[in-house]
Amino acid sequence: AKAEGRNGIAFFEAAMQADVERRLTLERALARALDASQLCMHVQPQVDRDGRVTGAEMLMRWPQPDGSFIAPGIFIPIAEESGLIVRLGHWALREACRAASLLAQAGRPVPLSVNVSPAQFRQPDFASRVQAALAEHGTPAGALILELTEGLLIDQRDASLARMRELAALGIRFSIDDFGTGYSSLSYLTSMPLYELKIDKRFIDDTPHDTAIVQAILAMARHLGLRVVAEGVETQEQADFLVAHDCDGLQGYLYARPMPLADFLAWLARQQA
Ligand code: C2E
Ligand code: CA
Ligand code: CA
Ligand code: CA
């Protein structure tokens, strides 16, 4: 039994070692891909109740030689652990500003939402980097919506609030991503310069069978004067319920999957026609 236990521990350590090595390999490859300009951003539209485009979210993709993509759900957590997320996130911001200027040139200046990781937001030079990215492409601050997570707003509330106010003064807008998933404290909602809440897909999945949370979020947002976007809208039934309850924005496969910027421009042109 003793030997067996030792073997068990040895097996466990070997498995942990393999996991650490797998992560390290992935992280190095990701850093190389970033340096070699191999990453790209896909764009997923958001529409209003009448199907008109109101914005779009920028989502990172890591293309592979075989034409497939490694999903951000795999590489973003690894980048967050290693700190590489700061460089990745800054690149994503610049890409969003570049995309915004192309959209403006095409006569369709829809605001673009960019995901910002807590570690990236907490960089001392974050605000000046946002300004530099905007200036690089002559992009107005109103073209960007930064998606933050609840954890960031609660854990370092004062620092986050000061930073948000600084950026909000420039015209940058803020959205809370995955709203309702992590924290029970809602008191931050009234003091932060917020524009929007994004209802997490898990609550949309429950719609229209179990709508208590979605209805509570929509009612609360209305009282607070915040815009609400539902993410992960996949069925017409979900859309109908959300529209009937005055949800402002709808995002999901029902309308469009995330797509390359060139495809998004073509998609926009079709919507207009
Ligand atoms: P998220 O910010 O919650 O993004 C929404 C995710 O839901 C995206 O997954 C999108 O493709 C997916 N989605 C949208 N509509 C539907 C739908 O109708 N059905 C289903 N099943 N899924 C839908 P994606 O692109 O794989 O991104 C996963 C997560 O990775 C994002 O979740 C975000 O947290 C993170 N991420 C992506 N790009 C970036 C980035 O540039 N920076 C940072 N920090 N995180 C990013
Ligand atoms: Ca998001
Ligand atoms: Ca989300
Ligand atoms: Ca989510």
Side-chain angles (χ1 to χ4, degrees), residues 38-91:
Q38 285 165 354
L39 300 177
C40 64
M41 298 297 282
H42 280 185
V43 191
Q44 185 179 35
Q46 293 168 0
V47 303
D48 68 10
R49 58 189 306 141
D50 301 314
R52 281 189 296 255
V53 184
T54 57
E57 180 172 6
M58 305 291 293
L59 295 159
M60 204 178 285
R61 295 290 179 265
W62 183 5
Q64 299 299 297
D66 67 358
S68 66
F69 295 97
I70 300 184
I74 304 219
F75 68 82
I76 294 281
I78 289 175
E80 279 175 337
E81 264 179 44
S82 69
L84 184 62
I85 192 67
V86 174
R87 284 213 294 135
L88 274 183
H90 183 50
W91 172 80

Side-chain angles (χ1 to χ4, degrees), residues 177-179 181 199-202 231:
D177 206 356
D178 304 336
F179 184 75
T181 57
I199 308 181
D200 193 67
K201 180 177 180 299
R202 81 178 68 166
E231 69 179 12

Side-chain angles (χ1 to χ4, degrees), residues 31-212:
R32 274 199 305 273
L34 175 63
D35 291 334
S37 308
Q38 285 165 354
L39 300 177
C40 64
M41 298 297 282
H42 280 185
V43 191
Q44 185 179 35
Q46 293 168 0
V47 303
D48 68 10
R49 58 189 306 141
D50 301 314
R52 281 189 296 255
V53 184
T54 57
E57 180 172 6
M58 305 291 293
L59 295 159
M60 204 178 285
R61 295 290 179 265
W62 183 5
Q64 299 299 297
D66 67 358
S68 66
F69 295 97
I70 300 184
I74 304 219
F75 68 82
I76 294 281
I78 289 175
E80 279 175 337
E81 264 179 44
S82 69
L84 184 62
I85 192 67
V86 174
R87 284 213 294 135
L88 274 183
H90 183 50
W91 172 80
L93 262 175
R94 293 177 62 198
E95 282 296 296
C97 291
R98 191 173 68 83
S101 84
L102 289 174
L103 289 169
Q105 277 167 36
R108 300 301 301 270
V110 297
L112 295 176
S113 297
V114 187
N115 294 286
V116 177
S117 281
Q120 182 192 356
F121 189 79
R122 289 183 185 133
Q123 292 296 303
D125 62 350
F126 179 74
S128 57
R129 276 173 172 259
V130 171
Q131 280 183 276
L134 290 168
E136 188 178 1
H137 297 282
T139 304
L144 283 190
I145 297 173
L146 302 186
E147 295 195 0
L148 308 177
T149 54
E150 286 175 290
L152 174 72
L153 305 187
I154 291 164
D155 297 342
Q156 301 211 359
R157 186 178 172 135
D158 293 343
S160 298
L161 181 57
R163 177 143 302 172
M164 285 171 76
R165 286 196 172 137
E166 182 185 353
L167 287 161
L170 300 174
I172 298 275
R173 288 175 288 179
F174 292 97
S175 177
I176 305 201
D177 206 356
D178 304 336
F179 184 75
T181 57
Y183 291 79
S184 52
S185 166
L186 296 173
S187 54
Y188 68 89
L189 283 175
T190 52
S191 59
M192 299 268 173
L194 293 172
Y195 169 67
E196 175 186 276
L197 303 180
K198 291 190 86 171
I199 308 181
D200 193 67
K201 180 177 180 299
R202 81 178 68 166
F203 303 124
I204 305 305
D205 288 343
D206 293 339
T207 305
H209 312 292
D210 175 1
T211 59

